[in-house]
Amino acid sequence: MTVTIVGSQLGDEGKGGIVDVLGDSADVVVRYQGGDNAGHTVVHDGEEYKLSLVPSGAIRGKVNVLGNGCVVNPRTLFSEIDALRERGVDPDVRVARRAHVIFPYHRLLDGIEEDRKSEDDNEVGTTGRGIGPTYEDKAARRGLRIADLTDPDTLRERLAYVLPQKRALVEDVFGLDIGSLDDPDALSVDALHEEYAEYGRRLAEEGMLVDSGDFLADRMAEGEDLMFEGAQGTLIDIDHGNYPFVTSSNPTAGGAATGSGLGPGVVGDGEIVGVVKGYLTRVGSGPMPTELGGVPGDTPGYDGDPSNPETESEELAHQIREEGGEYGTVTGRPRRVGWLDMPMLRHAARASGFTGLAVNHVDTLAGLDELNVGHAYEVDGEERLTMPATTEEWGQCEAQYRTFEGWPDVDWADVATEGYDALPENARTYLEYVADELDAPVYAVGVGPAREETVVVERP
Ligand code: IMP
């Protein structure tokens, strides 16, 4: 049995909490794409753990696999593992030999390219973790895989091939002086060889290396259950997302097969749960047809103070942002807020084949008199039920709304204990509309940030 968890919007849907609740009975948690661009916070026995690469299952004693579709920064990996060990948690993390390695030059080039793009306001707003440049090298067949770290001769040979290209890029294309960089060793064969051969030795010595497809197939043959944990969200998927404002991997469910080494049938025979936030948030620029109000500081005259909003829509955005704690975990930047966008969700449900849904932040919307949902888009006088392919066309879409009656604030802890029928009636109407439109049942409803504040309707 496998369960795949996929973000259906722009990331930040609260996937971590759902993995935590629904992954309870999984034996192995597998990440299939991305790297240390995915921040998640896990609260366990009153302790808070912030992780970006190690899957959250590590805290709960699961076997955790970083699949071949991941890009792995060994510095981050070992600093997270060491920090967990210092706190008395000994995580069981396995790393696919076929996963690609993020080197310091990837981070360096991520930063340089973003700076260059920002001169024309075209930056992607990446996490700066070197994700794009690493996948770029993988596709260009000049990347290094995790297994290469364990073979010092191959490691040196590959670094000696790739580094002159990176140095030329920095100096000749971007016109920078390598000597004046913060970390000139990021481009040194000897320095990288010494540090990364040591990571290879440690990976081997600690028994962390696996051929992920074989390893997972063996665990399944022994009757174990797998959970595939997607990072990021559908709208930042490199194929199905809002290109070029995307990450460089496939968070959608197809990625679970290519990124783990198991067949698509294995993923498709299991459950695929789309995680939906009850409204929409977005960090940074790009279209958002259902956007409410503005972001404090970005809208002239609007400072985020609810006693001073220019419009009702700004006041609503402010209220939802405060209630939902919609501020970037790392940067503290206020997130843009909008109503649920159904064309986006239909696109996500089709691209991944959702068999069920987990809807989060239903408590955040409590207390509103009424709420809107972007049911369709109108573009050039025509109705559209799913998203157009280009960011430019998406920017021209106008949301066509359906209005729902609001629900009161209630004791959400009681609701979580009593179950789905204890949800306010109007909240159930809202959830049932979403389930009908996406043709997938609601398996879980998030009514608060804590693990026990999730109404589990059905355990896939
Ligand atoms: P990258 O993955 O660092 O290359 O960033 C590419 C885009 O994906 C940027 O818009 C990031 O903000 C976004 N992104 C990457 N990881 C996450 C995440 O975990 N949550 C939300 N957005 C993310």
Side-chain angles (χ1 to χ4, degrees):
M1 171 71 189
T2 69
V3 176
T4 303
I5 303 289
V6 177
S8 63
Q9 294 155 323
L10 288 139
D12 308 316
E13 299 94 350
K15 291 179 292 295
I18 298 299
V19 168
D20 209 23
V21 174
L22 299 185
D24 222 11
S25 53
D27 302 290
V28 185
V29 178
V30 188
R31 274 198 56 188
Y32 53 88
Q33 44 75 229
D36 54 346
N37 49 346
H40 42 271
T41 307
V42 190
V43 181
H44 185 52
D45 287 343
E47 293 270 322
E48 189 178 87
Y49 302 90
K50 284 191 184 297
L51 300 167
S52 61
L53 182 61
V54 170
S56 39
I59 315 292
R60 305 198 185 282
K62 314 276 180 200
V63 176
N64 303 273
V65 177
L66 296 173
N68 56 274
C70 292
V71 285
V72 177
N73 184 331
R75 284 185 181 170
T76 309
L77 177 67
F78 286 119
S79 89
E80 289 189 358
I81 290 176
D82 291 345
L84 286 171
R85 285 191 182 146
E86 268 171 34
R87 294 175 67 180
V89 181
D90 192 15
D92 183 346
V93 182
R94 315 296 176 101
V95 186
R97 288 188 177 86
R98 291 180 171 89
H100 275 249
V101 181
I102 302 182
F103 282 95
Y105 54 83
H106 292 121
R107 274 198 182 210
L108 174 73
L109 288 164
D110 194 353
I112 293 175
E113 183 145 13
E114 280 284 278
D115 274 354
R116 188 52 54 89
K117 285 184 174 170
S118 73
E119 290 170 11
D120 301 316
D121 287 335
N122 282 329
E123 71 274 22
V124 175
T126 72
T127 60
R129 303 291 166 100
I131 305 297
T134 308
Y135 279 113
E136 192 184 321
D137 279 354
K138 169 179 172 175
R141 295 156 299 189
R142 65 172 104 82
L144 280 94
R145 286 172 158 187
I146 284 290
D148 299 331
L149 301 182
T150 63
D151 175 350
D153 292 340
T154 303
L155 175 61
R156 182 170 288 281
E157 197 182 305
R158 300 251 157 95
L159 286 172
Y161 172 75
V162 80
L163 278 163
Q165 293 186 21
K166 303 302 179 195
R167 296 176 77 90
L169 200 53
V170 171
E171 288 182 315
D172 303 338
V173 176
F174 292 109
L176 299 172
D177 172 19
I178 291 178
S180 61
L181 295 173
D182 287 346
D183 178 17
D185 277 354
L187 293 158
S188 152
V189 173
D190 287 339
L192 294 180
H193 187 269
E194 189 183 334
E195 181 181 349
Y196 284 74
E198 174 57 23
Y199 293 134
R201 198 197 52 73
R202 195 171 159 188
L203 283 162
E205 188 181 280
E206 298 193 16
M208 294 169 70
L209 297 167
V210 291
D211 290 1
S212 76
D214 288 341
F215 177 80
L216 296 172
D218 288 347
R219 305 298 293 228
M220 289 187 77
E222 284 165 23
E224 295 195 356
D225 293 327
L226 312 187
M227 173 164 272
F228 295 108
E229 177 180 356
Q232 291 88 40
T234 303
L235 264 290
I236 45 180
D237 181 291
I238 188 149
D239 285 286
H240 305 291
N242 172 214
Y243 194 90
F245 304 105
V246 293
T247 191
S248 299
S249 64
N250 289 120
T252 44
T258 46
S260 70
L262 294 172
V266 174
V267 177
D269 277 348
E271 296 272 358
I272 299 170
V273 180
V275 185
V276 178
K277 190 186 278 190
Y279 46 94
L280 184 65
T281 56
R282 170 159 213 168
V283 189
S285 48
M288 190 170 177
T290 58
E291 183 164 18
L292 268 166
V295 168
D298 281 4
T299 310
Y302 177 51
D303 59 6
D305 175 355
S307 60
N308 180 32
E310 294 205 325
T311 65
E312 199 181 324
S313 157
E314 285 172 355
E315 193 174 320
L316 268 173
H318 176 86
Q319 187 179 333
I320 295 173
R321 188 179 299 117
E322 295 305 304
E323 278 295 318
E326 296 296 354
Y327 289 86
T329 347
V330 183
T331 58
R333 273 192 302 175
R335 295 181 180 139
R336 296 161 68 193
V337 176
W339 296 121
L340 205 58
D341 183 323
M342 294 309 293
M344 176 187 286
L345 292 181
R346 290 187 196 101
H347 174 71
R350 191 223 344 98
S352 285
F354 293 158
T355 59
L357 304 171
V359 185
N360 279 325
H361 279 279
V362 167
D363 56 313
T364 303
L365 294 169
L368 302 179
D369 290 339
E370 55 182 33
L371 52 157
N372 288 331
V373 169
H375 176 78
Y377 297 146
E378 189 185 300
V379 61
D380 293 332
E382 293 201 7
E383 185 187 71
R384 278 196 73 110
L385 289 171
T386 67
M387 292 189 54
T390 70
T391 299
E392 289 69 24
E393 277 181 283
W394 191 29
Q396 287 160 18
C397 289
E398 264 185 48
Q400 305 296 302
Y401 291 107
R402 285 207 181 164
T403 302
F404 289 78
E405 283 178 39
W407 50 87
D409 207 5
V410 295
D411 187 330
W412 297 103
D414 278 357
V415 170
T417 316
E418 288 168 35
Y420 186 80
D421 290 337
L423 282 165
E425 189 185 344
N426 290 344
R428 277 183 279 133
T429 306
Y430 188 76
L431 293 167
E432 280 148 26
Y433 159 80
V434 175
D436 278 353
E437 289 294 320
L438 303 185
D439 198 19
V442 173
Y443 285 158
V445 185
V447 293
R451 186 170 207 240
E452 48 288 354
E453 288 170 317
T454 303
V455 179
V456 179
V457 186
E458 192 178 324
R459 242 170 227 289

mmCIF file of all heavy atoms in Angstrom, residues 410-428:
data_model
loop_
_atom_site.group_PDB
_atom_site.id
_atom_site.type_symbol
_atom_site.label_atom_id
_atom_site.label_comp_id
_atom_site.label_asym_id
_atom_site.label_seq_id
_atom_site.Cartn_x
_atom_site.Cartn_y
_atom_site.Cartn_z
ATOM 1 N N VAL A 410 -15.931 27.967 16.402
ATOM 2 C CA VAL A 410 -16.423 27.013 17.401
ATOM 3 C C VAL A 410 -15.223 26.443 18.145
ATOM 4 O O VAL A 410 -14.080 26.829 17.874
ATOM 5 C CB VAL A 410 -17.221 25.859 16.724
ATOM 6 C CG1 VAL A 410 -18.481 26.379 16.078
ATOM 7 C CG2 VAL A 410 -16.363 25.126 15.698
ATOM 8 N N ASP A 411 -15.450 25.549 19.050
ATOM 9 C CA ASP A 411 -14.333 24.900 19.742
ATOM 10 C C ASP A 411 -13.784 23.810 18.815
ATOM 11 O O ASP A 411 -14.330 22.712 18.722
ATOM 12 C CB ASP A 411 -14.817 24.311 21.072
ATOM 13 C CG ASP A 411 -13.639 23.775 21.885
ATOM 14 O OD1 ASP A 411 -12.639 23.339 21.260
ATOM 15 O OD2 ASP A 411 -13.725 23.794 23.114
ATOM 16 N N TRP A 412 -12.695 24.158 18.112
ATOM 17 C CA TRP A 412 -12.194 23.272 17.058
ATOM 18 C C TRP A 412 -11.593 21.992 17.627
ATOM 19 O O TRP A 412 -11.597 20.943 16.974
ATOM 20 C CB TRP A 412 -11.197 24.011 16.158
ATOM 21 C CG TRP A 412 -11.871 25.148 15.440
ATOM 22 C CD1 TRP A 412 -11.781 26.477 15.742
ATOM 23 C CD2 TRP A 412 -12.797 25.055 14.351
ATOM 24 N NE1 TRP A 412 -12.579 27.216 14.896
ATOM 25 C CE2 TRP A 412 -13.213 26.368 14.016
ATOM 26 C CE3 TRP A 412 -13.319 23.993 13.604
ATOM 27 C CZ2 TRP A 412 -14.110 26.647 12.995
ATOM 28 C CZ3 TRP A 412 -14.214 24.275 12.570
ATOM 29 C CH2 TRP A 412 -14.604 25.587 12.269
ATOM 30 N N ALA A 413 -11.093 22.082 18.866
ATOM 31 C CA ALA A 413 -10.538 20.867 19.488
ATOM 32 C C ALA A 413 -11.665 19.848 19.688
ATOM 33 O O ALA A 413 -11.498 18.648 19.437
ATOM 34 C CB ALA A 413 -9.877 21.219 20.811
ATOM 35 N N ASP A 414 -12.842 20.353 20.091
ATOM 36 C CA ASP A 414 -14.001 19.457 20.256
ATOM 37 C C ASP A 414 -14.395 18.850 18.920
ATOM 38 O O ASP A 414 -14.706 17.662 18.827
ATOM 39 C CB ASP A 414 -15.221 20.238 20.785
ATOM 40 C CG ASP A 414 -15.138 20.417 22.292
ATOM 41 O OD1 ASP A 414 -14.180 19.891 22.887
ATOM 42 O OD2 ASP A 414 -16.033 21.102 22.842
ATOM 43 N N VAL A 415 -14.390 19.703 17.875
ATOM 44 C CA VAL A 415 -14.766 19.215 16.542
ATOM 45 C C VAL A 415 -13.827 18.090 16.118
ATOM 46 O O VAL A 415 -14.250 17.050 15.622
ATOM 47 C CB VAL A 415 -14.740 20.373 15.512
ATOM 48 C CG1 VAL A 415 -14.892 19.848 14.088
ATOM 49 C CG2 VAL A 415 -15.824 21.402 15.821
ATOM 50 N N ALA A 416 -12.523 18.313 16.382
ATOM 51 C CA ALA A 416 -11.537 17.307 15.977
ATOM 52 C C ALA A 416 -11.796 15.984 16.701
ATOM 53 O O ALA A 416 -11.624 14.904 16.133
ATOM 54 C CB ALA A 416 -10.127 17.815 16.259
ATOM 55 N N THR A 417 -12.232 16.076 17.942
ATOM 56 C CA THR A 417 -12.510 14.845 18.704
ATOM 57 C C THR A 417 -13.783 14.175 18.212
ATOM 58 O O THR A 417 -13.855 12.959 18.057
ATOM 59 C CB THR A 417 -12.692 15.187 20.211
ATOM 60 O OG1 THR A 417 -11.678 16.091 20.583
ATOM 61 C CG2 THR A 417 -12.634 13.946 21.076
ATOM 62 N N GLU A 418 -14.808 15.024 17.955
ATOM 63 C CA GLU A 418 -16.115 14.444 17.615
ATOM 64 C C GLU A 418 -16.218 13.970 16.174
ATOM 65 O O GLU A 418 -17.033 13.119 15.855
ATOM 66 C CB GLU A 418 -17.222 15.458 17.918
ATOM 67 C CG GLU A 418 -17.449 15.626 19.421
ATOM 68 C CD GLU A 418 -18.315 16.828 19.741
ATOM 69 O OE1 GLU A 418 -19.230 17.123 18.938
ATOM 70 O OE2 GLU A 418 -18.042 17.486 20.756
ATOM 71 N N GLY A 419 -15.441 14.590 15.279
ATOM 72 C CA GLY A 419 -15.446 14.111 13.900
ATOM 73 C C GLY A 419 -16.179 15.018 12.929
ATOM 74 O O GLY A 419 -16.696 16.083 13.293
ATOM 75 N N TYR A 420 -16.230 14.569 11.697
ATOM 76 C CA TYR A 420 -16.699 15.380 10.570
ATOM 77 C C TYR A 420 -18.082 16.002 10.799
ATOM 78 O O TYR A 420 -18.306 17.169 10.506
ATOM 79 C CB TYR A 420 -16.721 14.515 9.307
ATOM 80 C CG TYR A 420 -17.053 15.283 8.046
ATOM 81 C CD1 TYR A 420 -16.082 16.032 7.396
ATOM 82 C CD2 TYR A 420 -18.343 15.267 7.517
ATOM 83 C CE1 TYR A 420 -16.384 16.746 6.248
ATOM 84 C CE2 TYR A 420 -18.654 15.983 6.360
ATOM 85 C CZ TYR A 420 -17.661 16.715 5.732
ATOM 86 O OH TYR A 420 -17.959 17.422 4.605
ATOM 87 N N ASP A 421 -19.010 15.212 11.372
ATOM 88 C CA ASP A 421 -20.381 15.722 11.534
ATOM 89 C C ASP A 421 -20.456 16.878 12.516
ATOM 90 O O ASP A 421 -21.454 17.593 12.543
ATOM 91 C CB ASP A 421 -21.324 14.590 11.948
ATOM 92 C CG ASP A 421 -21.518 13.612 10.789
ATOM 93 O OD1 ASP A 421 -21.298 14.030 9.628
ATOM 94 O OD2 ASP A 421 -21.838 12.434 11.059
ATOM 95 N N ALA A 422 -19.418 17.043 13.328
ATOM 96 C CA ALA A 422 -19.419 18.151 14.291
ATOM 97 C C ALA A 422 -18.974 19.470 13.646
ATOM 98 O O ALA A 422 -19.053 20.530 14.266
ATOM 99 C CB ALA A 422 -18.504 17.809 15.466
ATOM 100 N N LEU A 423 -18.508 19.418 12.401
ATOM 101 C CA LEU A 423 -18.137 20.672 11.715
ATOM 102 C C LEU A 423 -19.393 21.501 11.492
ATOM 103 O O LEU A 423 -20.469 20.936 11.239
ATOM 104 C CB LEU A 423 -17.518 20.361 10.343
ATOM 105 C CG LEU A 423 -16.069 19.887 10.307
ATOM 106 C CD1 LEU A 423 -15.757 19.273 8.939
ATOM 107 C CD2 LEU A 423 -15.116 21.051 10.585
ATOM 108 N N PRO A 424 -19.286 22.842 11.540
ATOM 109 C CA PRO A 424 -20.458 23.662 11.249
ATOM 110 C C PRO A 424 -21.028 23.300 9.870
ATOM 111 O O PRO A 424 -20.259 22.991 8.942
ATOM 112 C CB PRO A 424 -19.911 25.093 11.255
ATOM 113 C CG PRO A 424 -18.650 25.028 12.045
ATOM 114 C CD PRO A 424 -18.096 23.655 11.866
ATOM 115 N N GLU A 425 -22.364 23.352 9.755
ATOM 116 C CA GLU A 425 -23.025 22.891 8.534
ATOM 117 C C GLU A 425 -22.499 23.608 7.281
ATOM 118 O O GLU A 425 -22.253 22.992 6.245
ATOM 119 C CB GLU A 425 -24.535 23.101 8.674
ATOM 120 C CG GLU A 425 -25.305 22.451 7.554
ATOM 121 C CD GLU A 425 -26.795 22.750 7.624
ATOM 122 O OE1 GLU A 425 -27.272 23.197 8.689
ATOM 123 O OE2 GLU A 425 -27.458 22.558 6.584
ATOM 124 N N ASN A 426 -22.291 24.946 7.414
ATOM 125 C CA ASN A 426 -21.848 25.689 6.226
ATOM 126 C C ASN A 426 -20.418 25.307 5.813
ATOM 127 O O ASN A 426 -20.068 25.365 4.634
ATOM 128 C CB ASN A 426 -21.935 27.202 6.465
ATOM 129 C CG ASN A 426 -23.386 27.658 6.525
ATOM 130 O OD1 ASN A 426 -24.285 26.934 6.113
ATOM 131 N ND2 ASN A 426 -23.604 28.852 7.059
ATOM 132 N N ALA A 427 -19.622 24.912 6.782
ATOM 133 C CA ALA A 427 -18.263 24.452 6.452
ATOM 134 C C ALA A 427 -18.358 23.132 5.691
ATOM 135 O O ALA A 427 -17.633 22.896 4.723
ATOM 136 C CB ALA A 427 -17.430 24.284 7.724
ATOM 137 N N ARG A 428 -19.287 22.287 6.091
ATOM 138 C CA ARG A 428 -19.456 21.005 5.393
ATOM 139 C C ARG A 428 -19.950 21.243 3.957
ATOM 140 O O ARG A 428 -19.517 20.572 3.027
ATOM 141 C CB ARG A 428 -20.420 20.099 6.164
ATOM 142 C CG ARG A 428 -19.694 19.357 7.289
ATOM 143 C CD ARG A 428 -20.610 18.399 8.014
ATOM 144 N NE ARG A 428 -21.408 19.110 9.001
ATOM 145 C CZ ARG A 428 -22.725 18.976 9.179
ATOM 146 N NH1 ARG A 428 -23.405 18.139 8.427
ATOM 147 N NH2 ARG A 428 -23.347 19.668 10.099
#
